[in-house]
Amino acid sequence: MSALFILQGNRMDPHIGPNFKVPSASISIFNALGVIIGTPIYGWLIIPYAKKLTGHEQGFTELQRIGVGLAISVISMVSAGSLELFRLNIVRKYDFYDTKFVPMSLFWQVPQYFLVGFAEVFAMVGKSEFFYNQAPDAMRSLCSALELSTFALGNYLSSLLVTIVTNVTTRNGSTGWIPENINRGHLDYFFGLLALLSFANFIVFVCIAKCYRYKTVIRHDAT
């Protein structure tokens, strides 16, 4: 998201009115707004209904929360890919290949940023709770640190994926999926690949989660 969404936004119209331009990176604020708005929505609207459906005191178990977050992340990639496909159709139709900005508002990116933020409300919080609650009592600090290390691992794997896709798609002199001028590339294909990988990740996660047995947590009430 931090790189490719911005790369996509760099080729979209950033103007608000005749004189004001919005930097494409600043649209990422809607990712944070997705978290800020999604958190009370989860607490006030989703949890009460989830309690009735699941019978769980928190609405969802930790693994269920992570699963919902992963599912929403798939939708966010589909949203980004659909937007890029629409943008490239405009490029081809009007021959905007070398145009700096396609006449399409940057704010069309808001849904995909917001969906990523909303996914984080489920997945990130659920993951933190899972690593803490299910860890052995003497290893909670270590497991919380390992949970944070997944961000670093994810960034390395993301860079590796981009490198592999670039090397494969630029063979035989092809411009590849992610060229310097993305108007001549296929960033929509890459978002589609991410959506497929995210969906596969979700399926594998669900299969493993079904086999998991939660640790019995003994609660000590303060006296």
Side-chain angles (χ1 to χ4, degrees):
M1 180 191 71
S2 59
L4 296 177
F5 282 13
I6 294 173
L7 187 64
Q8 182 186 48
N10 285 340
R11 290 289 179 168
M12 300 176 71
D13 187 2
H15 293 90
I16 299 179
N19 301 316
F20 188 73
K21 291 172 60 177
V22 178
S24 60
S26 67
I27 298 296
S28 62
I29 191 175
F30 288 97
N31 173 235
L33 288 175
V35 176
I36 293 170
I37 296 173
T39 300
I41 289 176
Y42 176 82
W44 297 339
L45 298 178
I46 297 177
I47 286 181
Y49 289 103
K51 285 181 179 180
K52 295 178 182 179
L53 292 174
T54 65
H56 192 273
E57 61 179 352
Q58 295 180 336
F60 297 103
T61 64
E62 291 96 336
L63 291 177
Q64 286 171 341
R65 287 188 69 165
I66 297 172
V68 172
L70 294 178
I72 297 174
S73 71
V74 176
I75 300 173
S76 71
M77 290 300 102
V78 172
S79 175
S82 299
L83 177 64
E84 182 63 12
L85 180 61
F86 186 72
R87 195 190 69 82
L88 288 176
N89 284 337
I90 294 177
V91 169
R92 298 186 188 105
K93 184 176 180 179
Y94 297 102
D95 194 23
F96 287 149
Y97 290 101
D98 296 313
T99 303
K100 185 175 182 180
F101 300 127
V102 174
M104 185 177 181
S105 176
L106 177 64
F107 288 91
W108 280 104
Q109 285 191 305
V110 169
Q112 63 203 51
Y113 275 108
F114 191 85
L115 284 169
V116 171
F118 201 62
E120 290 175 359
V121 172
F122 286 89
M124 297 298 103
V125 176
K127 186 155 66 78
S128 296
E129 290 180 349
F130 180 81
F131 270 78
Y132 184 80
N133 292 333
Q134 298 302 306
D137 293 342
M139 296 180 62
R140 282 181 169 173
S141 296
L142 174 62
C143 289
S144 295
L146 290 174
E147 185 261 329
L148 294 175
S149 71
T150 62
F151 290 99
L153 178 61
N155 286 327
Y156 279 117
L157 291 176
S158 177
S159 298
L160 178 62
L161 178 62
V162 171
T163 301
I164 292 173
V165 168
T166 299
N167 290 338
V168 170
T169 60
T170 54
R171 291 177 179 174
N172 302 319
S174 176
T175 57
W177 288 4
I178 317 175
E180 184 175 349
N181 181 358
I182 62 169
N183 288 342
R184 297 184 178 276
H186 278 289
L187 193 57
D188 55 329
Y189 289 177
F190 190 76
F191 285 134
L193 175 63
L194 290 179
L196 289 173
L197 290 175
S198 297
F199 181 72
N201 181 56
F202 170 74
I203 296 300
V204 172
F205 172 82
V206 169
C207 293
I208 295 174
K210 284 185 175 180
C211 301
Y212 184 77
R213 295 295 178 266
Y214 281 90
K215 182 183 80 170
T216 302
V217 179
I218 301 176
R219 301 185 182 276
H220 301 282
D221 295 330
T223 57

